[in-house]
Amino acid sequence: MSSHDGSTPSSDPSTAQSSQPSISMSSGSRGRTDLAWGHCREAPELSVGCKKTKLVCLYCAQVFAGGGINRFKQHLDGA
């Protein structure tokens, strides 16, 4: 009984949709593969005169001037 009525989803990989979010990469930076980047944004407007870009939490708007994504992940963890 292998009748195909079209009601079952296709297992063809060319039609399957990816469940992974797309990661945008800005010019001049390495690939942002850490999931924590989805919870903060870079704030170049706050980094005038600084070498490093500051990070801003999307939930509480706290600004992180140092420590990078590692320090931001500690913030998300509540430390």
Side-chain angles (χ1 to χ4, degrees):
M1 291 186 156
S2 61
S3 65
H4 184 24
D5 62 354
S7 63
T8 58
S10 172
S11 62
D12 183 15
S14 64
T15 60
Q17 293 182 1
S18 174
S19 62
Q20 295 179 351
S22 62
I23 299 173
S24 63
M25 294 172 25
S26 60
S27 63
S29 65
R30 292 182 282 178
R32 308 271 191 212
T33 59
D34 199 311
L35 294 177
W37 286 106
H39 302 278
C40 67
R41 69 174 182 92
E42 292 181 282
E45 68 276 5
L46 299 175
S47 302
V48 176
C50 298
K51 290 183 180 180
K52 295 186 178 181
T53 304
K54 296 182 180 180
L55 301 177
V56 179
C57 179
L58 295 178
Y59 306 109
C60 67
Q62 184 174 349
V63 177
F64 296 90
I69 198 65
N70 185 44
R71 176 62 190 107
F72 180 72
K73 288 193 288 188
Q74 290 175 355
H75 165 71
L76 286 178
D77 187 37

